[in-house]
Amino acid sequence: MNDNEVNGQSGNADPAQGASVKQAPKQNGGKTLPEPYEKTTWHSTTVDGRELRYQATVGTITIDTPKVKPAASIFFTAFNLADDEGHVDGTRPVTFIFNGGPGSSTTFLLMGSVAPKRIDVPDAAPVPAAPYRLTDNPYTLLPSSDLVFIDAAGAGFSEILDAAKPELWSVDGDVAGFSAFIRAYLSKYHRWNSPKYVLGESYGTTRGAALAYRLQQDGVALNGLVLISNILDYAFVLDTSDQFYIGYFPTFASVAKYHGKAANDVETAAHLQAARAFANGPLRQALAAGASLDDDTKWKVAERYAELTGLDARYVYDSDLRVVDMRFRKALLRDEGRIVGRYDGRVAGYDLDRMNDEETFVVDDAFLDPAYSSLCNAYLRDELGWDRVPERRGFADFDWNATEPGKGWTWWHEQPGMTKSAWGSKIPFPNVVPDLAAAIAHQPTLKVLIGNGIYDLCTPFFQTEYDIDHLGLPKPLQSHVAFTYYPAGHMLYSAETSLAKFSDDLQRFYSTDADGLSTLNERPALPAPQIAL
């Protein structure tokens, strides 16, 4: 339903009235940013038998960096619950939501998760070409919180000046930019006294954990932080680390069971517990032994590995017990000529070179990206009224292989309280576990929800469990972090049954305080490790 529309250029007008004050284009180095602009439309939806009337605002806010002012035009899509007179309650919770990448637009979360509408596509299966269907979303978070979806600088409809790319296209610059946007939004729309939440996915969890701490330094205390499909320490994305293989293993086991290659007579929860115990026990010890591991023990470990994952024991043995994720996805269904999806291990498709260790395409991404991108453009332009140029970009156009600042992504990160080292005051890859720990310790009322898809072969849940176990929090604060799990992949909301659970978990999360968060925690306990002295 779309029964009223207000539009205009930016100023300090209330969003219910639309913006009205024109500003001159922002210039820097001969290039220009577009004028800040917004458009507000009115809609209604029905959730649990209750009609909700809400505003949808699409617009941009200009942010600065220390060296470039202005630096970027950040696009957002906001949904605010309103009363019959059109008033927005400034004391309602507001949640800032973003995808990751880095450098990604927030297309998938906007179109698939907790907005008032969502895409309707087949789950874990090929998606036909257009037309696609947009439906009212009965699982929207709008009854619990107003929602603000944010495109990263240079992605989606957000634009960035070349001079600002060395700052904003970096781990710490990106976090500073999101902090700047959030604070500007709070000021423009009078939301400083609202309860504030952040929801990030994938690299958005890297950003989200660091952002929670950065916002505290910038004068904003979050009420809650939701991190889904987590990657908090990039040290373990390298296959030179034993933890890389340990962190992936239980997800290998869950995907194998889904495809009928392992544990056909065991419940999924029990199978995952067995996989956790094996990964954290025999596999960890065998990998730590390295070349000193005797051949008989190595073969026994390979056999148990194969039993839990559906792989051939000889293949595991010949891989030195170290099967990288891409090889697992190629090997599991090789006898069927199919490859398993990276983002969702339930998905399987045909690869053009079935014997090669490397995939020719990411099957699940190929299924979903055209549908989400096409319908997002249609929704934002045709229903919410965005009529600016240029066209929407799924990702910022930096070069993944470039090392020059402003051409690629700068991975260096300065952790809280970090002292000088051989690397200076930064580490050459993001590890935001200390940032998250500092945010919780500095604000003991902060509550954190960690969401995990058990078929996610991009950001495996067992690695996240390991990272959270190494926060180093005092015992009274450890229960302020809760785990939830979903029978889905990286985009845990893509399956409707999973989204329904996610919506219910979020409503419970928003309605409880940090001390009561343990009632949401679904993480199973493992037997205490036996440490011989």
Side-chain angles (χ1 to χ4, degrees), residues 391-407:
E391 294 300 319
R392 187 169 178 82
R393 295 172 295 273
F395 279 85
D397 61 354
F398 56 77
D399 181 352
W400 282 101
N401 296 314
T403 57
E404 181 184 348
K407 302 295 184 182

Side-chain angles (χ1 to χ4, degrees), residues 65 175 293 418 490:
T65 68
V175 169
L293 184 67
M418 192 170 184
H490 192 66

Side-chain angles (χ1 to χ4, degrees), residues 2 4 43 73 139 146 173 175 189 191 219 222 245 252 257-258 277 347 357 366 375 390 417 436 504:
N2 183 346
N4 188 35
H43 309 261
S73 169
Y139 312 112
D146 294 336
V175 169
Y189 296 108
R191 301 305 296 265
L222 293 179
Y245 302 98
F252 289 177
K257 176 169 174 55
Y258 179 86
V347 178
D357 281 345
L375 198 54
L436 181 57
D504 181 67

Side-chain angles (χ1 to χ4, degrees), residues 231-259:
I231 179 164
L232 302 176
D233 186 351
Y234 273 73
F236 302 125
V237 303
L238 305 176
D239 58 15
T240 55
S241 162
D242 288 349
Q243 183 57 39
F244 171 91
Y245 302 98
I246 295 163
Y248 264 103
F249 184 83
T251 306
F252 289 177
S254 68
V255 172
K257 176 169 174 55
Y258 179 86
H259 289 285

